[in-house]
Amino acid sequence: MELTRRKLLAIGASTFAIASITGASAYASLTDDAIAALTGGAEAGEGAITITAPEIAENGNTVPVAVDAPGAVAITLFADGNPTPGVATFKFGPLSASRSAATRIRLATTQNVVAVAKMEDGSFQMAKANVKVTIGGCGG
Amino acid sequence: MASGVKPRVKVPKTAAAGETITIKTLISHKMESGQRKDSDGNPIPRSIINRFTTEFNGENVVDVALEPAISTNPYFQFDAVVPEAGEFKFTWYDDDGSVYEETKSIKIG
């Protein structure tokens, strides 16, 4: 088989794709552990929480993320591709109007941002958003 | 204390009683994650703000626990109810023990 430039590029691209997929999931189990520790193993429902994040983030150093979970007492954010999955925990007090917040986070690579909300009745709600990161934001 | 830390908060000057207002806060801080290395390959120690709270007349609005994954110059936006005239108190807690405070008063009208 003659190795043309075109073929070589195709091979390069496919290996890169595989590498980035495995890279993204390398820390995922850490996130699962962290979520399990938070919920105490309870199954988290879906629907009552929304997470707003860009589909593609050019700069992983500042990715705007917003969460909204009516009736939540606390919302915890995780990033499953970061070296440490925890991002932030918002606890809402009596004078908090809407159980929503927005901040800017660091993402090391393309990954899922996971929001877990603890509701007033003690149950948990979970939402995920996949963010493609062009330039990672954890330094190196 | 990390140098050049300056809190900035945006709160409306007046609100109707019971009105919901949006608060935006920003504090200049390098939020060193502890993951980076300097030019010699030595890890740069972590130095972040690890907690941020907002109170209105002593009652809690939000209490945020920050991890190194929060960006440089931490920014937060959230909503608060204003039951009466009073003062918002914002507090940031640094890893090194420093505490940065900012207050904003709001009138009813």
Side-chain angles (χ1 to χ4, degrees):
Chain A
M1 185 180 101
E2 198 186 345
L3 199 62
T4 61
R5 185 173 175 271
R6 181 168 298 178
K7 278 182 187 154
L8 194 66
L9 280 174
I11 293 166
S14 57
T15 40
F16 176 73
I18 292 164
S20 52
I21 289 165
T22 49
S25 60
Y27 299 108
S29 62
L30 279 177
T31 310
D32 291 342
D33 292 349
I35 293 171
L38 179 76
T39 60
E43 199 66 25
E46 279 178 27
I49 176 170
T50 51
I51 178 165
T52 312
E55 227 170 89
I56 297 174
E58 297 228 333
N59 182 357
N61 268 313
T62 53
V63 183
V65 173
V67 284
D68 183 13
V73 291
I75 301 177
T76 306
L77 282 175
F78 297 100
D80 70 4
N82 278 2
T84 52
V87 174
T89 303
F90 298 90
K91 288 195 191 101
F92 298 103
L95 286 182
S96 170
S98 62
R99 304 303 159 111
S100 65
T103 185
R104 295 175 189 150
I105 68 173
R106 288 183 178 132
L107 296 177
T109 175
T110 296
Q111 59 184 284
N112 291 317
V113 179
V114 186
V116 180
K118 186 175 190 220
M119 312 306 278
E120 273 156 0
D121 60 5
S123 67
F124 291 91
Q125 292 281 329
M126 190 161 88
K128 263 185 200 185
N130 188 262
V131 182
K132 291 184 172 63
V133 177
T134 317
I135 302 169
C138 274
Chain B
M1 175 173 155
S3 60
V5 175
K6 184 171 181 271
R8 272 170 284 182
V9 179
K10 204 170 182 183
V11 177
K13 287 199 171 59
T14 60
E19 194 188 337
T20 295
I21 60 161
T22 299
I23 297 174
K24 294 175 180 178
T25 74
L26 185 80
I27 185 164
S28 51
H29 194 283
K30 59 186 181 336
M31 295 291 279
E32 193 58 64
S33 68
Q35 300 285 340
R36 299 199 310 151
K37 295 191 171 88
D38 64 15
S39 49
D40 301 327
N42 303 315
I44 304 171
R46 171 184 135 149
S47 167
I48 67 165
I49 290 173
N50 55 45
R51 188 170 170 226
F52 164 66
T53 62
T54 301
E55 286 180 353
F56 181 73
N57 289 352
E59 259 202 285
N60 182 252
V61 181
V62 284
D63 186 339
V64 188
L66 287 74
E67 304 284 343
I70 294 291
S71 298
T72 307
N73 303 340
Y75 163 84
F76 292 106
Q77 181 190 322
F78 50 90
D79 295 334
V81 181
V82 184
E84 72 236 346
E87 197 173 62
F88 279 101
K89 188 178 172 198
F90 305 91
T91 319
W92 291 262
Y93 299 86
D94 198 307
D95 265 353
D96 64 11
S98 311
V99 175
Y100 316 111
E101 286 182 355
E102 175 83 347
T103 53
K104 290 274 176 191
S105 55
I106 187 164
K107 291 193 188 81
I108 297 297

